[in-house]
Amino acid sequence: MNNRVQLPIPEFFDPSTVGEVWQIPYQKLTTEAKNWAQQHQLQSANEDSIKVGLLAIDVQNTFCLPGYELFVGGKSGTGAVDDNRRLCEFIYRNLGVISEIMVTMDTHNAMQIFHPLFWIDESGQQPPPMTEISVEDVEKGVWQVNPAVAPYISNEDYNWLQDYTKHYVRKLNLYSKYPLIIWPYHAILGGSGHTLVSAVESACFFHSFARESKTHFELKGSNPLTENYSVLSPEVLEAHDGKAIAQKNTAFIDKLLSFDLLIITGQAKSHCVAWTIDDLLAEIQARDPKLAKKVYLLEDCTSPVVVPGGADFSDRADAAFDRFAAAGMNRVTSQEAVMDWI
Protein backbone atom coordinates (compact mmCIF):
# COMPACT_ATOMS: atom_id res chain seq x y z
CA MET A 1 0.00 0.00 0.00
CA ASN A 2 1.24 3.53 -0.79
CA ASN A 3 2.30 5.62 2.21
CA ARG A 4 -0.07 8.39 1.08
CA VAL A 5 -3.22 6.25 1.37
CA GLN A 6 -5.35 6.78 4.49
CA LEU A 7 -5.26 3.81 6.83
CA PRO A 8 -7.92 2.16 8.98
CA ILE A 9 -7.92 2.91 12.69
CA PRO A 10 -6.32 0.02 14.64
CA GLU A 11 -8.77 -2.13 16.55
CA PHE A 12 -6.95 -1.57 19.85
CA PHE A 13 -7.91 2.13 19.85
CA ASP A 14 -10.85 2.64 22.21
CA PRO A 15 -12.29 6.17 21.88
CA SER A 16 -14.15 5.80 25.18
CA THR A 17 -10.82 5.86 27.08
CA VAL A 18 -9.51 9.17 25.67
CA GLY A 19 -10.71 11.03 28.77
CA GLU A 20 -8.96 8.63 31.16
CA VAL A 21 -5.48 7.93 32.52
CA TRP A 22 -4.14 4.45 31.84
CA GLN A 23 -0.86 2.60 31.52
CA ILE A 24 0.56 2.34 28.00
CA PRO A 25 1.39 -1.27 27.01
CA TYR A 26 4.65 -0.20 25.39
CA GLN A 27 6.12 -3.58 24.55
CA LYS A 28 2.86 -4.86 23.08
CA LEU A 29 2.49 -1.69 21.02
CA THR A 30 5.96 -2.07 19.50
CA THR A 31 5.02 -5.49 18.13
CA GLU A 32 1.64 -4.29 16.88
CA ALA A 33 3.19 -1.23 15.24
CA LYS A 34 5.81 -3.28 13.41
CA ASN A 35 3.13 -5.71 12.21
CA TRP A 36 0.95 -2.77 11.15
CA ALA A 37 3.80 -1.25 9.16
CA GLN A 38 4.42 -4.56 7.40
CA GLN A 39 0.73 -5.16 6.72
CA HIS A 40 0.26 -1.72 5.18
CA GLN A 41 3.71 -1.51 3.58
CA LEU A 42 4.70 1.63 5.46
CA GLN A 43 8.16 2.99 4.76
CA SER A 44 10.47 4.62 7.26
CA ALA A 45 9.76 8.33 7.72
CA ASN A 46 13.39 8.97 6.77
CA GLU A 47 12.46 7.93 3.24
CA ASP A 48 9.59 10.41 2.90
CA SER A 49 10.16 12.68 -0.10
CA ILE A 50 7.72 15.20 1.38
CA LYS A 51 8.24 15.83 5.07
CA VAL A 52 5.02 16.33 7.05
CA GLY A 53 5.23 17.52 10.65
CA LEU A 54 2.43 17.40 13.22
CA LEU A 55 2.73 19.79 16.17
CA ALA A 56 0.41 18.94 19.08
CA ILE A 57 0.49 21.71 21.68
CA ASP A 58 0.08 20.90 25.39
CA VAL A 59 -2.10 17.79 25.03
CA GLN A 60 -1.47 17.07 28.71
CA ASN A 61 -3.76 15.81 31.44
CA THR A 62 -3.77 19.20 33.17
CA PHE A 63 -5.60 20.74 30.18
CA CYS A 64 -7.31 17.76 28.60
CA LEU A 65 -8.96 15.63 31.28
CA PRO A 66 -12.08 16.54 33.28
CA GLY A 67 -11.25 17.05 36.94
CA TYR A 68 -7.72 18.27 36.27
CA GLU A 69 -6.60 21.81 37.01
CA LEU A 70 -7.26 23.67 33.74
CA PHE A 71 -9.50 21.39 31.73
CA VAL A 72 -10.32 23.05 28.41
CA GLY A 73 -14.01 22.31 28.08
CA GLY A 74 -14.70 24.83 25.33
CA LYS A 75 -18.27 25.68 24.46
CA SER A 76 -19.47 22.08 24.71
CA GLY A 77 -17.97 21.38 28.14
CA THR A 78 -16.18 18.29 26.79
CA GLY A 79 -13.95 20.10 24.30
CA ALA A 80 -10.46 18.71 24.89
CA VAL A 81 -11.67 15.12 25.28
CA ASP A 82 -13.52 15.28 21.95
CA ASP A 83 -10.55 17.06 20.36
CA ASN A 84 -8.12 14.34 21.42
CA ARG A 85 -10.35 11.55 20.20
CA ARG A 86 -10.35 13.20 16.78
CA LEU A 87 -6.59 13.84 17.03
CA CYS A 88 -5.82 10.18 17.76
CA GLU A 89 -8.01 9.05 14.87
CA PHE A 90 -6.32 11.60 12.61
CA ILE A 91 -2.88 10.27 13.54
CA TYR A 92 -3.86 6.65 12.91
CA ARG A 93 -5.58 7.38 9.57
CA ASN A 94 -2.67 9.47 8.31
CA LEU A 95 0.09 7.38 9.86
CA GLY A 96 1.68 6.71 6.50
CA VAL A 97 2.14 10.36 5.58
CA ILE A 98 2.97 12.06 8.92
CA SER A 99 6.76 12.07 9.05
CA GLU A 100 7.25 13.35 12.61
CA ILE A 101 5.07 14.16 15.60
CA MET A 102 6.15 16.97 17.90
CA VAL A 103 4.49 17.65 21.24
CA THR A 104 4.96 20.62 23.55
CA MET A 105 4.86 20.17 27.30
CA ASP A 106 3.81 23.02 29.56
CA THR A 107 6.20 22.59 32.50
CA HIS A 108 5.86 24.48 35.79
CA ASN A 109 6.73 24.61 39.49
CA ALA A 110 4.99 26.34 42.38
CA MET A 111 7.16 29.48 42.47
CA GLN A 112 6.27 31.21 39.22
CA ILE A 113 4.87 34.65 38.51
CA PHE A 114 1.47 33.28 37.45
CA HIS A 115 0.95 31.03 40.50
CA PRO A 116 -0.55 32.12 43.85
CA LEU A 117 2.61 31.47 45.92
CA PHE A 118 4.44 34.28 44.10
CA TRP A 119 2.13 37.02 45.46
CA ILE A 120 0.68 38.31 48.75
CA ASP A 121 -1.55 41.21 49.73
CA GLU A 122 -0.95 43.56 52.68
CA SER A 123 -2.35 40.96 55.07
CA GLY A 124 -0.10 38.21 53.72
CA GLN A 125 -2.84 36.37 51.85
CA GLN A 126 -2.17 34.83 48.45
CA PRO A 127 -4.44 35.62 45.48
CA PRO A 128 -7.01 32.96 44.62
CA PRO A 129 -6.74 31.27 41.24
CA MET A 130 -8.11 33.26 38.28
CA THR A 131 -7.26 36.59 39.94
CA GLU A 132 -6.30 39.19 37.33
CA ILE A 133 -3.40 41.38 38.46
CA SER A 134 -3.31 44.76 36.74
CA VAL A 135 -0.59 47.39 36.39
CA GLU A 136 -2.42 49.49 38.96
CA ASP A 137 -2.61 46.56 41.41
CA VAL A 138 1.17 46.17 41.38
CA GLU A 139 2.03 49.87 41.38
CA LYS A 140 -0.28 50.55 44.33
CA GLY A 141 0.86 47.48 46.25
CA VAL A 142 -2.49 45.71 46.19
CA TRP A 143 -0.43 42.65 45.27
CA GLN A 144 3.24 42.40 46.19
CA VAL A 145 5.93 39.80 45.71
CA ASN A 146 5.94 37.17 48.44
CA PRO A 147 9.35 37.58 50.19
CA ALA A 148 9.53 33.80 50.58
CA VAL A 149 10.14 33.33 46.85
CA ALA A 150 13.01 35.83 46.53
CA PRO A 151 15.80 33.45 47.66
CA TYR A 152 14.81 30.96 44.98
CA ILE A 153 14.33 33.40 42.11
CA SER A 154 16.45 36.55 42.54
CA ASN A 155 19.26 35.59 44.96
CA GLU A 156 17.36 37.21 47.85
CA ASP A 157 17.18 40.57 46.05
CA TYR A 158 13.59 41.32 46.96
CA ASN A 159 13.66 44.91 45.74
CA TRP A 160 14.86 43.82 42.30
CA LEU A 161 12.06 41.31 42.09
CA GLN A 162 9.46 43.87 43.18
CA ASP A 163 10.69 46.34 40.54
CA TYR A 164 10.67 43.58 37.96
CA THR A 165 7.00 42.76 38.54
CA LYS A 166 6.03 46.39 37.85
CA HIS A 167 8.00 46.22 34.63
CA TYR A 168 6.42 42.88 33.73
CA VAL A 169 2.78 43.92 33.99
CA ARG A 170 3.53 47.16 32.15
CA LYS A 171 5.10 45.20 29.31
CA LEU A 172 2.09 42.89 29.04
CA ASN A 173 -0.13 45.96 28.78
CA LEU A 174 2.17 47.69 26.26
CA TYR A 175 2.34 44.64 23.99
CA SER A 176 -1.45 44.05 24.22
CA LYS A 177 -0.84 40.63 25.73
CA TYR A 178 -3.31 38.91 28.02
CA PRO A 179 -3.15 40.55 31.48
CA LEU A 180 -1.35 38.67 34.24
CA ILE A 181 -3.72 35.96 35.44
CA ILE A 182 -3.04 33.85 38.52
CA TRP A 183 -3.64 30.33 37.30
CA PRO A 184 -4.31 27.31 39.50
CA TYR A 185 -1.18 25.24 40.06
CA HIS A 186 -0.96 23.17 36.90
CA ALA A 187 1.40 21.17 34.68
CA ILE A 188 3.67 20.71 37.69
CA LEU A 189 6.81 18.84 36.67
CA GLY A 190 6.70 15.32 38.06
CA GLY A 191 2.95 15.39 38.61
CA SER A 192 0.23 13.44 36.83
CA GLY A 193 -1.11 16.62 35.25
CA HIS A 194 2.16 17.17 33.40
CA THR A 195 2.03 13.95 31.39
CA LEU A 196 0.55 13.51 27.93
CA VAL A 197 -3.00 12.24 27.65
CA SER A 198 -2.66 8.44 27.62
CA ALA A 199 -4.49 7.93 24.32
CA VAL A 200 -2.38 10.59 22.58
CA GLU A 201 0.84 9.20 24.05
CA SER A 202 -0.14 5.76 22.82
CA ALA A 203 -0.79 7.10 19.29
CA CYS A 204 2.57 8.91 19.27
CA PHE A 205 4.40 5.80 20.50
CA PHE A 206 2.67 3.64 17.89
CA HIS A 207 3.64 6.12 15.17
CA SER A 208 7.27 6.16 16.28
CA PHE A 209 7.58 2.40 15.72
CA ALA A 210 5.36 2.07 12.66
CA ARG A 211 7.22 4.88 10.86
CA GLU A 212 10.61 4.58 12.65
CA SER A 213 10.31 8.22 13.68
CA LYS A 214 11.20 9.56 17.12
CA THR A 215 8.54 11.72 18.78
CA HIS A 216 9.96 15.16 19.55
CA PHE A 217 9.21 16.63 23.00
CA GLU A 218 9.57 20.40 23.48
CA LEU A 219 9.32 21.70 27.06
CA LYS A 220 8.18 25.24 27.82
CA GLY A 221 7.10 27.37 30.75
CA SER A 222 9.70 26.71 33.45
CA ASN A 223 11.00 30.30 33.64
CA PRO A 224 9.73 31.74 36.97
CA LEU A 225 9.74 35.34 35.70
CA THR A 226 7.43 35.11 32.71
CA GLU A 227 4.44 33.35 31.28
CA ASN A 228 5.13 31.22 28.22
CA TYR A 229 1.91 30.63 26.31
CA SER A 230 3.80 30.26 23.03
CA VAL A 231 6.40 27.52 22.76
CA LEU A 232 8.36 29.84 20.46
CA SER A 233 8.80 32.80 22.81
CA PRO A 234 8.02 33.82 26.41
CA GLU A 235 5.75 36.81 27.00
CA VAL A 236 8.62 39.05 28.17
CA LEU A 237 12.28 38.70 27.22
CA GLU A 238 14.04 41.44 29.22
CA ALA A 239 13.99 42.71 32.81
CA HIS A 240 13.61 46.35 33.86
CA ASP A 241 17.39 46.73 34.04
CA GLY A 242 17.83 45.56 30.45
CA LYS A 243 19.13 42.11 31.34
CA ALA A 244 17.80 39.22 29.28
CA ILE A 245 15.62 36.82 31.25
CA ALA A 246 14.62 34.62 28.30
CA GLN A 247 14.98 34.26 24.55
CA LYS A 248 13.07 33.16 21.49
CA ASN A 249 13.15 29.46 20.72
CA THR A 250 14.95 29.95 17.41
CA ALA A 251 16.05 26.34 17.06
CA PHE A 252 12.47 25.07 17.28
CA ILE A 253 11.22 27.77 14.90
CA ASP A 254 13.78 26.58 12.35
CA LYS A 255 12.71 22.97 12.88
CA LEU A 256 9.03 23.76 12.31
CA LEU A 257 9.75 25.72 9.14
CA SER A 258 11.94 22.92 7.78
CA PHE A 259 8.88 20.74 7.05
CA ASP A 260 7.26 20.77 3.64
CA LEU A 261 3.87 20.74 5.36
CA LEU A 262 3.23 21.60 9.02
CA ILE A 263 0.02 20.69 10.87
CA ILE A 264 -0.73 22.46 14.18
CA THR A 265 -3.33 21.76 16.86
CA GLY A 266 -3.62 21.29 20.64
CA GLN A 267 -4.81 23.20 23.69
CA ALA A 268 -5.97 25.79 24.22
CA LYS A 269 -7.00 27.41 20.95
CA SER A 270 -7.29 30.81 22.60
CA HIS A 271 -4.00 30.72 24.49
CA CYS A 272 -1.00 28.46 23.86
CA VAL A 273 -2.11 27.40 20.37
CA ALA A 274 -2.98 30.92 19.21
CA TRP A 275 0.18 32.52 20.62
CA THR A 276 2.41 29.81 19.16
CA ILE A 277 0.89 30.25 15.71
CA ASP A 278 1.10 34.02 16.09
CA ASP A 279 4.83 33.84 16.84
CA LEU A 280 5.36 31.43 13.95
CA LEU A 281 3.48 33.75 11.61
CA ALA A 282 5.66 36.69 12.67
CA GLU A 283 8.75 34.65 11.77
CA ILE A 284 7.22 33.61 8.45
CA GLN A 285 6.37 37.18 7.53
CA ALA A 286 9.91 38.26 8.37
CA ARG A 287 11.45 35.47 6.28
CA ASP A 288 9.03 34.75 3.42
CA PRO A 289 5.24 35.33 3.66
CA LYS A 290 4.62 32.52 1.17
CA LEU A 291 5.73 30.00 3.82
CA ALA A 292 2.34 30.50 5.51
CA LYS A 293 0.75 28.37 2.79
CA LYS A 294 2.44 25.22 4.10
CA VAL A 295 0.88 25.60 7.58
CA TYR A 296 -2.37 23.71 8.25
CA LEU A 297 -4.44 24.46 11.36
CA LEU A 298 -6.32 21.37 12.55
CA GLU A 299 -9.25 23.29 13.92
CA ASP A 300 -11.56 20.54 15.14
CA CYS A 301 -8.84 19.22 17.48
CA THR A 302 -8.51 22.39 19.55
CA SER A 303 -10.87 24.33 21.85
CA PRO A 304 -10.82 27.77 23.47
CA VAL A 305 -10.79 28.51 27.18
CA VAL A 306 -14.35 28.95 28.41
CA VAL A 307 -14.80 29.39 32.16
CA PRO A 308 -18.36 28.39 33.17
CA GLY A 309 -20.01 31.55 34.43
CA GLY A 310 -16.84 33.52 33.69
CA ALA A 311 -14.50 34.42 30.86
CA ASP A 312 -15.15 33.09 27.36
CA PHE A 313 -12.20 33.39 24.97
CA SER A 314 -14.00 31.85 21.98
CA ASP A 315 -14.30 35.10 20.02
CA ARG A 316 -10.64 35.96 20.53
CA ALA A 317 -9.62 32.50 19.38
CA ASP A 318 -11.77 32.71 16.26
CA ALA A 319 -10.48 36.20 15.47
CA ALA A 320 -6.90 34.94 15.72
CA PHE A 321 -7.59 32.03 13.37
CA ASP A 322 -9.31 34.40 10.92
CA ARG A 323 -6.13 36.46 10.91
CA PHE A 324 -3.93 33.39 10.40
CA ALA A 325 -6.07 32.29 7.45
CA ALA A 326 -5.95 35.78 5.94
CA ALA A 327 -2.15 35.54 6.06
CA GLY A 328 -2.23 32.34 4.00
CA MET A 329 -2.48 29.53 6.55
CA ASN A 330 -5.01 26.74 5.94
CA ARG A 331 -7.92 25.94 8.27
CA VAL A 332 -8.69 22.22 8.02
CA THR A 333 -10.43 19.42 9.91
CA SER A 334 -9.34 15.98 11.03
CA GLN A 335 -11.76 14.33 8.60
CA GLU A 336 -9.71 15.51 5.65
CA ALA A 337 -6.84 13.47 4.26
CA VAL A 338 -3.34 14.89 4.59
CA MET A 339 -2.44 13.43 1.21
CA ASP A 340 -4.95 15.81 -0.38
CA TRP A 341 -3.03 18.82 0.98
CA ILE A 342 0.27 17.81 -0.59
Side-chain angles (χ1 to χ4, degrees):
M1 180 177 287
N2 189 295
N3 264 29
R4 295 181 61 182
V5 174
Q6 277 200 314
L7 301 174
I9 297 172
E11 292 184 0
F12 64 76
F13 174 66
D14 182 354
S16 69
T17 66
V18 173
E20 302 172 0
V21 177
W22 38 273
Q23 185 176 4
I24 311 298
Y26 297 113
Q27 194 58 47
K28 181 180 178 182
L29 272 183
T30 62
T31 301
E32 293 185 352
K34 291 175 182 177
N35 291 339
W36 193 256
Q38 184 176 17
Q39 178 185 349
H40 296 285
Q41 300 175 21
L42 300 181
Q43 66 183 23
S44 169
N46 290 326
E47 300 176 20
D48 289 351
S49 58
I50 298 176
K51 300 294 185 182
V52 176
L54 170 63
L55 174 62
I57 296 171
D58 297 358
V59 283
Q60 299 162 266
N61 292 340
T62 198
F63 303 113
C64 297
L65 296 191
Y68 273 80
E69 300 87 359
L70 285 173
F71 174 60
V72 180
K75 286 285 193 181
S76 67
T78 58
V81 174
D82 299 331
D83 295 336
N84 285 330
R85 173 183 53 78
R86 289 186 285 264
L87 175 59
C88 289
E89 293 171 348
F90 176 81
I91 291 172
Y92 289 126
R93 283 198 302 268
N94 295 282
L95 200 76
V97 71
I98 297 173
S99 308
E100 182 176 351
I101 298 176
M102 299 157 286
V103 294
T104 70
M105 304 285 288
D106 214 28
T107 305
H108 302 317
N109 61 68
M111 291 186 177
Q112 296 194 252
I113 199 167
F114 47 80
H115 277 157
L117 183 58
F118 193 94
W119 300 91
I120 56 171
D121 62 16
E122 60 181 7
S123 64
Q125 297 299 307
Q126 296 170 14
M130 307 312 296
T131 297
E132 183 176 308
I133 296 183
S134 67
V135 174
E136 185 178 44
D137 289 337
V138 179
E139 291 181 341
K140 290 187 175 182
V142 175
W143 294 110
Q144 304 173 37
V145 176
N146 181 353
V149 307
Y152 300 96
I153 296 176
S154 59
N155 296 319
E156 301 193 41
D157 191 342
Y158 179 80
N159 291 331
W160 183 94
L161 198 53
Q162 189 66 38
D163 289 340
Y164 171 78
T165 59
K166 295 176 183 177
H167 162 82
Y168 183 78
V169 292
R170 289 170 186 157
K171 284 291 185 182
L172 294 182
N173 186 61
L174 179 65
Y175 295 155
S176 298
K177 301 276 191 176
Y178 286 132
L180 175 59
I181 297 174
I182 302 304
W183 297 105
Y185 298 106
H186 66 286
I188 300 299
L189 182 62
S192 62
H194 182 257
T195 60
L196 284 181
V197 169
S198 298
V200 175
E201 182 192 356
S202 182
C204 292
F205 191 81
F206 188 82
H207 172 271
S208 69
F209 278 86
R211 295 298 316 283
E212 298 179 334
S213 172
K214 182 180 178 182
T215 304
H216 178 94
F217 290 85
E218 192 74 20
L219 273 60
K220 70 178 180 73
S222 61
N223 191 319
L225 294 174
T226 179
E227 295 152 290
N228 209 148
Y229 294 122
S230 167
V231 68
L232 303 181
S233 181
E235 300 299 282
V236 173
L237 299 175
E238 294 182 349
H240 55 287
D241 56 8
K243 294 181 180 179
I245 63 162
Q247 60 186 7
K248 289 197 302 182
N249 193 344
T250 304
F252 195 53
I253 293 171
D254 291 340
K255 179 178 178 65
L256 294 178
L257 292 179
S258 71
F259 289 96
D260 299 300
L261 189 151
L262 176 65
I263 306 162
I264 304 176
T265 196
Q267 303 301 337
K269 181 180 181 182
S270 52
H271 287 71
C272 297
V273 173
W275 284 117
T276 295
I277 299 170
D278 194 64
D279 281 345
L280 183 64
L281 179 58
E283 287 292 326
I284 285 173
Q285 291 176 331
R287 300 184 188 194
D288 180 359
K290 293 192 292 294
L291 293 173
K293 295 179 180 179
K294 70 176 181 178
V295 180
Y296 289 74
L297 310 179
L298 200 58
E299 201 162 10
D300 65 339
C301 296
T302 181
S303 294
V305 170
V306 178
V307 180
D312 183 342
F313 290 89
S314 300
D315 289 343
R316 292 190 67 168
D318 291 340
F321 272 58
D322 287 342
R323 181 163 50 82
F324 303 149
M329 294 181 176
N330 306 275
R331 298 170 82 164
V332 295
T333 72
S334 62
Q335 298 305 308
E336 300 176 46
V338 175
M339 60 185 175
D340 293 336
W341 307 336
I342 297 174

